[in-house]
Amino acid sequence: MEYRGYDSAGLAVNDGTKIEIAKCKGRLKALSDLTNGGETIQGTSGIGHTRWATHGVPSDTNSHPHYNSNESIAVVHNGIIENYIKIKQRLIDKGYSFQSQTDTEVVVQLLDHYYEGDALAAITKVMTKLEGSYALGIVFNDHPDELFAVRKDSPLIVGVSESGNYIASDVPAILKYTRDVYYIDNGEIVKLTRDNVSFYNSDLEPIEKELKTVAWDISAAEKGGYEHFMLKEIHEQPKAVRDTLNPRIRDNDIVIDELNMNEEDIKNLKKIFIVACGSAYHTGMTGKYVIEDLARIPVEVDLASEFRYRNPILEEGTLTIIISQSGETADSLAALREAKRQGMKVLGIINVVGSSIAREADNVMYTWAGPEIAVATTKAYSTQLSALYLLAMHFAKVRGALPQNEFDTLLQNLRQLPEQIQSILDNNVTQIQYIASKFVAVKECFFIGRGVDYTTALEGSLKLKEISYIHSEAYPAGELKHGPIALIEDGTLVTAILTQEDLYKKTLSNIVEIQSRGALVLAVTNEGNEEAVKVSDIAVYIPVTDKHFTTSLAVIPLQLLSYYVSIGKGLDLDKPRNLAKSVTVE
Ligand code: M6R
């Protein structure tokens, strides 16, 4: 689970007589060293945690598991207990003392307060007191052969196998042991023993759950010879895009069964809201340009953290699309609930099967990228773009906005994307490595473009900043002169994306303007665009595709650039500072 948090880690293991706890600040390696690879802390049931600090700095004390004063109960927690200050004060008034600054510690102290020998009864009592989000793993000294877990708004799965049963907050953590999983829903409680798993609702009534088999195997969640997950995932993009497109292209047509919309529904669409965070939001931005241009349906794109609180106007005929790799992003999940609360149909474009958003959306279009481990998304991003292109073309055709011959040409271009991505990976890496070595010391970067190129700029800029810690901004090229141009000086790196032939000239004049102020210009442009090389310092060429799909190609050199700049700076790019793979808190 280290990719979900890595500022500290810990274990609590029940050896039949007592709960042994080992925890420390730092990467998992530090915990491994502390416990001699786990040898010094043995038992038959236990819980572990890798932390990404929300409440309290990363420290040995703030690491999970947290435990009560006599170390008879230990807890690991993902999520945030929003009312922890109030609970903490009440417990202090009752004589409890706290060691950490975390919100989690109130959970274990509350369990201590309510526990009278019946673990499940204490857990349900505690659930009624907690506000916020949680996936909890709990061990009790009195129940050495049992492990308890419960969730609300934070992911939790149970894996079952002949040699034992597991809880985890994501599938890759248990793939080594089993592919048979149960997805735990909000308010459900699980009791595990070595040979048995029982599920209960919050009234402690036993419930039945359906066992699912995960399609991914362990090799998909390992590095497979690559130095980093990010590089592996960059190279998996041709396959990921192909896997997302191919099942939906049949007999030279686009068929999206999972959409569950008939022709009438599509013709009646008045508006689309795309809601997402981070890179998924950027694919939404690209989707807006493509859907509006092809299908002529107005599209509004919102950051989920804004959408959920801004009282959006969702009227009859609106389709809300939530895009998320993990399917667990707290803001996106809240946005989905807001849309559903207003009676809207929600379509999820999701990568993780069985994730919370996938389960709560009315319909799900899965992106078949496989497990994405690197914090900086690459292959999931590319598959999200593919899903949006399919939707745009399908909507356009059904609404009569796209003549058959244009549809056929677009489809031909769409089908070529995987091999064109492959050709960039085969031919451009050495050049990008060279460019990265030149720009490794750059302090300030801008990414500019117009139209679809602006949306590519957004993603290029985010990739660079999140893994190489270089300050970077993305701007529509025409907007620079309204302020940001004041920041251009000798040595500022500007990456200009130029794939929209009808807009070339406009962006080229912006490039001339910034070059004359000392900027170094890197152009990413279509093969054959000779003008770009004349005005830029270096040009990277990408294969020619239809103008609606260029983001899928132009983003590849930008991903590689950020990767090699980060390598040049000697950074741990699979685990960038302050970031976690899925942001399950607000
Ligand atoms: O799992 P999600 O797609 O919902 O995640 C959304 C963002 O947190 C994510 O794209 C983030 O911006 C990545 N670090 C980008 O590389």
Side-chain angles (χ1 to χ4, degrees):
M1 296 308 308
E2 211 184 7
Y3 69 97
R4 297 278 290 267
Y6 33 80
D7 59 41
S8 47
L11 289 163
V13 177
N14 204 329
D15 70 2
T17 55
K18 61 183 180 320
I19 298 175
E20 283 265 19
I21 291 163
K23 56 182 191 167
C24 58
K25 181 181 162 184
R27 297 280 163 93
L28 210 46
K29 171 83 173 60
L31 180 68
S32 179
D33 292 346
L34 180 73
T35 59
N36 189 22
E39 288 300 316
T40 61
I41 176 162
Q42 301 249 357
T44 52
S45 66
I47 47 180
H49 188 263
T50 57
R51 178 171 187 248
W52 179 54
T54 57
H55 294 61
V57 294
S59 70
D60 291 354
T61 314
N62 287 336
S63 310
H64 298 212
H66 290 280
Y67 45 89
N68 57 345
S69 61
N70 62 2
E71 298 186 20
S72 60
I73 309 171
V75 165
V76 289
H77 167 220
N78 281 349
I80 289 182
I81 306 301
E82 287 167 0
N83 58 341
Y84 82 102
I85 295 178
K86 216 153 85 192
I87 299 176
K88 192 169 179 174
Q89 193 50 55
R90 274 201 219 125
L91 288 165
I92 290 171
D93 295 344
K94 287 183 198 300
Y96 280 87
S97 59
F98 285 77
Q99 299 174 26
S100 75
Q101 292 124 31
T102 64
D103 51 337
T104 304
E105 201 179 349
V106 301
V107 178
V108 73
Q109 305 288 27
L110 267 184
L111 281 167
D112 178 277
H113 181 59
Y114 290 117
Y115 181 66
E116 289 171 341
D118 184 339
L120 286 170
I123 291 169
T124 47
K125 190 79 189 158
V126 168
M127 285 165 71
T128 63
K129 305 290 172 198
L130 301 179
E131 287 168 20
S133 57
Y134 50 83
L136 298 168
I138 311 165
V139 286
F140 290 82
N141 196 20
D142 289 357
H143 303 262
D145 302 321
E146 292 168 353
L147 189 64
F148 299 88
V150 58
R151 79 160 269 194
K152 179 182 167 262
D153 292 342
S154 285
L156 179 68
I157 58 159
V158 167
V160 295
S161 82
E162 284 185 358
S163 57
N165 297 317
Y166 307 86
I167 57 167
S169 45
D170 204 356
V171 168
I174 55 165
L175 276 182
K176 206 160 152 187
Y177 312 104
T178 181
R179 286 161 66 177
D180 294 331
V181 301
Y182 292 100
Y183 294 98
I184 308 306
D185 285 311
N186 270 347
E188 292 178 350
I189 308 163
V190 196
K191 181 168 96 176
L192 295 92
T193 63
R194 184 191 179 285
D195 305 310
N196 193 44
V197 184
S198 329
F199 305 99
Y200 306 89
N201 63 19
S202 53
D203 294 325
L204 286 186
E205 291 157 348
I207 50 173
E208 293 289 324
K209 291 196 66 79
E210 194 187 337
L211 188 64
K212 303 261 167 104
T213 301
V214 175
W216 305 339
D217 64 11
I218 183 64
S219 65
E222 287 178 340
K223 278 193 220 159
Y226 286 93
E227 201 178 334
H228 295 98
F229 279 111
M230 184 179 174
L231 190 61
K232 175 186 177 236
E233 289 160 7
I234 288 175
H235 282 271
E236 283 173 343
Q237 289 179 108
K239 178 178 183 314
V241 169
R242 197 173 290 119
D243 289 352
T244 303
L245 292 175
N246 281 4
R248 286 137 180 159
I249 301 178
R250 284 180 231 156
D251 302 328
N252 293 322
D253 203 357
I254 291 173
V255 183
I256 313 175
D257 294 324
E258 60 272 47
L259 195 56
N260 273 325
M261 288 174 85
N262 60 30
E263 297 210 343
E264 222 31 50
D265 296 332
I266 294 172
K267 284 182 182 150
N268 287 337
L269 274 178
K270 292 202 175 57
K271 186 172 181 173
I272 296 176
F273 263 101
I274 302 182
V275 188
C277 304
S279 296
Y281 168 78
H282 298 159
T283 67
M285 287 290 287
T286 314
K288 172 184 167 73
Y289 280 89
V290 179
I291 296 171
E292 286 191 342
D293 195 46
L294 291 179
R296 307 306 294 153
I297 307 170
V299 180
E300 205 169 315
V301 192
D302 254 24
L303 289 162
S305 52
E306 289 298 310
F307 180 90
R308 62 184 293 188
Y309 293 121
R310 78 173 175 83
N311 202 7
I313 301 164
L314 302 170
E315 289 166 331
E316 186 79 24
T318 303
L319 171 69
T320 306
I321 303 179
I322 307 278
I323 308 177
S324 174
Q325 185 286 128
S326 61
E328 299 295 351
T329 302
D331 286 321
S332 304
L333 184 58
L336 171 147
R337 290 179 182 157
E338 173 59 25
K340 288 189 79 168
R341 192 187 65 79
Q342 292 202 33
M344 293 299 115
K345 277 251 176 278
V346 174
L347 170 70
I349 297 183
I350 309 293
N351 194 42
V352 178
V353 176
S355 56
S356 302
I357 300 177
R359 279 179 296 145
E360 291 192 30
D362 297 291
N363 298 300
V364 183
M365 195 172 166
Y366 281 111
T367 53
W368 300 114
E372 193 179 63
I373 309 290
V375 168
T377 180
T378 52
K379 62 174 179 170
Y381 167 89
S382 285
T383 56
Q384 289 163 357
L385 287 178
S386 306
L388 288 163
Y389 300 155
L390 287 166
L391 279 179
M393 287 177 60
H394 181 58
F395 287 164
K397 191 173 176 193
V398 171
R399 290 165 70 98
L402 192 59
Q404 186 66 42
N405 59 335
E406 288 178 29
F407 179 88
D408 293 344
T409 314
L410 274 172
L411 196 60
Q412 214 180 340
N413 278 277
L414 193 61
R415 280 186 153 132
Q416 279 171 357
L417 285 179
E419 47 189 272
Q420 290 180 317
I421 295 173
Q422 188 63 56
S423 90
I424 300 172
L425 294 171
D426 291 343
N427 301 320
N428 291 55
V429 171
T430 316
Q431 187 199 16
I432 307 278
Q433 283 171 328
Y434 168 77
I435 297 172
S437 71
K438 293 272 160 225
F439 293 137
V440 96
V442 148
K443 298 263 175 300
E444 199 83 47
C445 274
F446 283 88
F447 285 74
I448 59 168
R450 282 170 188 263
V452 163
D453 287 339
Y454 164 53
T455 71
T456 315
L458 286 168
E459 178 61 7
S461 175
L462 179 65
K463 284 282 90 75
L464 189 72
K465 74 179 85 153
E466 68 183 340
I467 58 166
S468 67
Y469 315 149
I470 294 174
H471 179 242
S472 168
E473 305 267 359
Y475 271 97
E479 186 62 17
L480 272 186
K481 58 184 174 295
H482 296 287
I485 199 163
L487 294 171
I488 305 283
E489 54 186 16
D490 273 346
T492 308
L493 174 63
V494 179
T495 301
I497 298 114
L498 293 143
T499 69
Q500 306 293 297
E501 263 184 67
D502 46 342
L503 299 171
Y504 273 172
K505 284 213 165 54
K506 304 276 173 206
T507 309
L508 284 175
S509 3
N510 300 128
I511 294 179
V512 174
E513 260 167 11
I514 49 180
Q515 258 197 337
S516 63
R517 285 163 177 82
L520 295 163
V521 178
L522 163 66
V524 176
T525 190
N526 303 333
E527 272 161 13
N529 179 9
E530 298 302 333
E531 270 178 275
V533 77
K534 286 186 208 140
V535 294
S536 62
D537 295 278
I538 310 181
V540 173
Y541 285 100
I542 55 164
V544 176
T545 181
D546 181 86
K547 66 174 185 175
H548 299 91
F549 306 146
T550 56
T551 301
S552 289
L553 304 182
V555 79
I556 309 294
L558 304 183
Q559 295 168 344
L560 289 165
L561 180 70
S562 58
Y563 176 83
Y564 286 111
V565 167
S566 182
I567 291 279
K569 294 181 81 169
L571 300 171
D572 189 356
L573 57 92
D574 274 342
K575 301 187 186 79
R577 74 180 176 208
N578 305 338
L579 297 175
K581 182 64 183 163
S582 43
V583 186
T584 53
V585 294
E586 252 196 90

